[in-house]
């Protein structure tokens, strides 16, 4: 297979980054992974190598350390960057706002600065549906107004989008795509990579799988009194492999489509809202398990409901969510079992 280009994946040892590295390689790209392993694990890089059969270069580096990060730009020949490296938990950001602002903003500004300094062109930014705040209408499109963020995490994503937009407008040679993705879940079908959070999971599905595995005593469902059909929050759960493929499509668009605008935004979701309680019950059905769960008070920073209108990504990127929720939840449980057996 002819190699198309090389892509630097910052935060590439993380959950979404590692799956994206796999899909980039499958599409014919070379990949360099950079990660400080603050909320990820070197075994994810080994998983990428095992799945692809490629000895992917890995550099342990903090993107906030500009001098150290510059050495990656000097050592490797790449023209495109996918920037994942960021702190990512809504609840934690409420408790630790300064850490989130410092890490998420500084790392992106360093990436853009080093791209300008070294003549790199293309950046895909890992954004989030949290930029919409509490939307008035569902589903949300890219034209849905951004509302005040309900957490410091969401605010950093809004601010990073603004930094990227303004930088591209000011500096010739830069092109960027912000992918606003919804709630990534699942694992690679090989069960060689998946979501493996440090400590207590901040996201729903890892907590579900760890409860099913007996690691956690009981799952807490935060709120059953929301104005939704069953009282629990509604989200758009996107399979992580489908999400990874969206990044590949974004890179291809920037490299190959000369008519594309220099800065673009795409929603990456399934277009279907699923409640927390519905997801719990579906996990039980798909995997033949019974979970212990309880209703807990609402969690600060959570919004009631949000799901995507992915039409623009479907039409402009040629990307579609393909994996079913059942496949995704089965893959998540297969990954958890493998982790516990290792």
């Amino acid at each position: 297979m002819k190699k198309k280009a090389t892509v630097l994946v910052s935060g590439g040892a993380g959950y979404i980054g590692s799956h994206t590295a796999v899909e980039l390689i499958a599409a014919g790209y070379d990949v360099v992974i950079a990660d400080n392993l603050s909320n990820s694990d070197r075994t994810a890089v080994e998983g990428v190598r095992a799945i692809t059969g490629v000895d992917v270069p890995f550099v342990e580096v903090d993107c906030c350390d500009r001098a150290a990060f510059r050495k990656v730009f000097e050592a490797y020949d790449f023209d495109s960057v996918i920037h994942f490296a960021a702190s990512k938990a809504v609840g934690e950001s409420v408790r630790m706002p300064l850490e989130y602002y410092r890490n998420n903003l500084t790392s992106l500004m360093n990436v853009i600065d080093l791209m300008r300094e070294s003549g790199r062109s293309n950046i895909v930014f890992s954004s989030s549906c949290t930029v919409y705040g509490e939307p008035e209408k569902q589903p949300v499109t890219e034209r849905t107004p951004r509302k005040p963020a309900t957490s410091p995490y969401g605010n950093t994503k809004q601010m990073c989008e603004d930094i990227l937009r303004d930088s591209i407008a000011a500096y010739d040679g830069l092109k960027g795509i912000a992918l606003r993705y919804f709630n990534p879940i699942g694992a690679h079908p090989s069960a060689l990579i998946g979501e493996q959070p440090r400590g207590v999971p901040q996201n729903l599905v890892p907590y579900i799988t760890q409860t099913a595995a007996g690691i956690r005593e009981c799952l807490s469902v935060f709120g059953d009194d929301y104005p939704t059909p069953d009282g629990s929050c509604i989200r758009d759960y996107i399979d992580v492999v489908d999400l990874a493929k969206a990044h590949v499509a974004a890179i291809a668009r920037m490299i190959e489509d000369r008519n594309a605008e220099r800065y673009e935004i795409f929603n990456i979701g399934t277009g279907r809202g699923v409640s927390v309680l519905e997801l719990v019950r579906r996990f039980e059905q798909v995997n033949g398990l019974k979970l212990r769960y309880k209703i807990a008070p609402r969690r600060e920073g959570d919004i009631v409901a949000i799901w995507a209108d992915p039409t623009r990504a479907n039409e402009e990127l040629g990307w579609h969510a393909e994996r079913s929720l059942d496949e995704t939840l089965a893959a998540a449980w297969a990954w958890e079992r493998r982790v516990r057996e290792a």
Side-chain angles (χ1 to χ4, degrees), residues 27-54:
Y29 294 93
D30 278 334
V31 168
V32 177
I33 293 174
D35 202 299
N36 70 354
L37 303 179
S38 62
N39 192 35
S40 56
D41 197 279
R42 195 180 295 267
T43 57
V45 179
E46 296 305 322
V48 171
R49 291 169 176 166
I51 293 167
T52 62
V54 175

Side-chain angles (χ1 to χ4, degrees), residues 227-245:
T228 61
D230 64 15
S232 64
C233 292
I234 293 175
R235 298 289 184 268
D236 186 335
Y237 295 99
I238 175 79
D239 188 282
V240 68
V241 176
D242 283 337
L243 175 57
K245 291 177 179 178

Side-chain angles (χ1 to χ4, degrees), residues 36 61-69 83 85-87 99-111 114:
N36 70 354
V61 64
D62 188 341
C63 299
C64 291
D65 184 340
R66 182 169 163 170
F69 199 24
H83 183 58
S87 303
E99 287 83 351
Y100 271 68
Y101 288 119
R102 185 178 296 114
N103 187 50
N104 293 6
L105 272 59
T106 302
S107 61
L108 176 65
M109 289 189 288
N110 282 348
V111 168
L114 292 169

Side-chain angles (χ1 to χ4, degrees), residues 7-29:
V7 181
L8 173 67
V9 183
S10 69
Y15 175 43
I16 305 170
S18 59
H19 286 80
T20 298
V22 167
E23 297 306 320
L24 284 166
I25 293 166
Y29 294 93

Side-chain angles (χ1 to χ4, degrees), residues 323-335:
R323 291 173 62 78
S324 71
L325 185 59
D326 287 1
E327 288 177 294
T328 302
L329 293 174
W333 180 230
W335 159 251

Side-chain angles (χ1 to χ4, degrees), residues 57-123:
F58 168 65
V59 183
E60 185 175 349
V61 64
D62 188 341
C63 299
C64 291
D65 184 340
R66 182 169 163 170
F69 199 24
R70 178 184 284 113
K71 294 177 182 177
V72 178
F73 281 73
E74 293 170 348
Y76 295 95
D77 182 18
F78 55 86
D79 195 50
S80 302
V81 180
I82 302 180
H83 183 58
F84 292 106
S87 303
K88 62 177 186 178
V90 169
E92 184 180 65
S93 76
V94 175
R95 300 190 304 272
M96 303 167 55
L98 285 181
E99 287 83 351
Y100 271 68
Y101 288 119
R102 185 178 296 114
N103 187 50
N104 293 6
L105 272 59
T106 302
S107 61
L108 176 65
M109 289 189 288
N110 282 348
V111 168
I112 295 171
D113 252 347
L114 292 169
M115 287 180 68
R116 290 180 57 221
E117 184 181 292
S118 58
R120 267 67 170 208
S121 301
N122 308 312
I123 178 170

